[in-house]
Amino acid sequence: MKVIVLKNKKEVGDYVSKIIIEAINNKPNLVLGLATGSSVIPLYKKLVKEYKKGNVSFSKVRTFNLDEYLNVKKTQSYRYFMDKHLFSKINISKKNINFPTSNFKDYESKVKKFKIDIQILGIGRNDHIGFNEPGSKFNSKTRKVKLSKTTMKANSRFFQSLNNTPEFAITMGLGTIMNAKKIILIALGSKKAKAVAKAVNSKMNEKIPASILKKHKNSLFVIDKKAAKKL
Ligand code: F6R
């Protein structure tokens, strides 16, 4: 596990987008694993900017999102987030976009078949990756999960209240994520400092889902100064 600390979120987004663009330019049919949430917005902004400048084409790229809520309005879904921030602004083909559904076994098989080249992750304040909450098995696969109260509280900022915040989601498992050839975790801001320090400095432990990334040969944390302050 390698850690790169940069000045701010713009630098983090620029840095990770450069890696992705180089990879797509070397392999136009690259398979990308994608996350949603505030940490990835600077990255998606930069990818859109570079696409508009003609520096990258997504026409053959295939994507697999990490997770999706169950039973939410369309506008609150992660698919909606991705369409808004990335997919509607680039030349990706709709048929190449993949999202987990309640048919999660099929999703697991599809991810296995296509093999993710680069998996992008955020990190939860409780060290979750995807929606693999503390206690998730290191060999877990794509499945239905119940979100913890901490995660629901953090997510409630996108819903009217905690009561309206979804409790269930489908997520790729930790085992699924670890099959990616390269993994890049993005963390921004001081609210992530504790989670980052635990993932980097603790022994691998199922109570700290992100600690599994230590075992991956090609995992990279790209974080800003604030998220690095407890390292
Ligand atoms: C979302 C996902 C989550 C987020 C994490 C951080 O697809 O997989 O694990 O990456 O909750 O969210 P933000 O970036 O909003 O702090």
Side-chain angles (χ1 to χ4, degrees):
M1 178 199 276
K2 206 171 139 190
V3 182
I4 293 176
V5 182
L6 299 169
K7 209 163 69 193
N8 53 37
K9 61 182 180 185
K10 185 180 177 299
E11 281 193 6
V12 170
D14 289 0
Y15 186 92
V16 178
S17 88
K18 195 162 175 259
I19 297 177
I20 293 179
I21 290 169
E22 271 174 22
I24 296 174
N25 289 337
N26 280 327
K27 181 185 175 191
N29 61 344
L30 196 84
V31 182
L32 274 176
L34 297 174
T36 55
S38 45
S39 314
V40 289
I41 288 178
L43 164 65
Y44 295 162
K45 267 196 184 140
K46 180 69 173 169
L47 288 176
V48 169
K49 203 169 162 186
E50 293 302 311
Y51 163 70
K52 286 190 173 153
K53 282 200 226 159
N55 292 334
V56 61
S57 169
F58 293 86
S59 64
K60 294 199 174 99
V61 169
R62 197 177 295 271
T63 62
F64 286 90
N65 264 79
L66 269 172
D67 42 16
E68 180 59 287
Y69 290 124
L70 282 172
N71 308 320
V72 284
K73 282 191 215 149
K74 199 174 164 189
T75 51
Q76 290 172 325
S77 66
Y78 280 164
R79 174 61 197 254
Y80 186 84
F81 174 99
M82 289 304 303
D83 284 343
K84 180 173 165 199
H85 292 283
L86 187 66
F87 297 150
S88 67
K89 297 178 173 171
I90 57 174
N91 65 337
I92 190 159
S93 165
K94 268 199 177 148
K95 68 176 187 340
N96 287 341
I97 297 172
N98 297 279
F99 261 82
T101 64
S102 40
N103 208 343
F104 49 84
K105 285 195 178 136
D106 281 2
Y107 198 69
E108 180 71 24
S109 315
K110 213 169 171 190
V111 171
K112 218 177 231 160
K113 179 176 156 203
F114 285 101
K115 288 201 180 79
I116 292 176
D117 290 298
I118 304 180
Q119 174 67 57
I120 302 298
L121 299 174
I123 185 169
R125 285 179 230 172
N126 64 356
D127 274 277
H128 72 219
I129 49 177
F131 274 137
N132 294 285
E133 299 283 34
S136 298
K137 295 273 170 251
F138 276 167
N139 63 359
S140 53
K141 303 288 180 232
T142 306
R143 67 202 187 285
K144 179 179 172 180
V145 288
K146 190 173 188 302
L147 306 184
S148 69
K149 277 279 169 294
T150 326
T151 300
M152 283 178 69
K153 269 186 206 149
N155 293 350
S156 65
R157 68 192 195 274
F158 300 113
F159 299 86
Q160 283 126 337
S161 67
L162 188 59
N163 273 344
N164 286 318
T165 307
E167 215 182 335
F168 293 98
I170 305 288
T171 183
M172 280 189 204
L174 294 171
T176 324
I177 292 170
M178 288 295 280
N179 282 331
K181 294 177 201 161
K182 182 179 183 76
I183 301 178
I184 305 177
L185 182 145
I186 297 175
L188 304 172
S190 50
K191 282 184 183 150
K192 298 293 171 71
K194 218 168 129 191
V196 168
K198 274 211 278 179
V200 174
N201 296 330
S202 315
K203 274 200 186 139
M204 265 179 53
N205 168 357
E206 285 180 349
K207 286 189 191 137
I208 309 172
S211 68
I212 195 177
L213 300 172
K214 284 177 192 286
K215 202 169 73 175
H216 196 282
K217 284 194 195 92
N218 200 358
S219 71
L220 178 65
F221 279 36
V222 186
I223 64 179
D224 68 2
K225 265 192 197 157
K226 288 180 182 161
K229 77 178 182 206
K230 288 194 169 14
L231 282 179

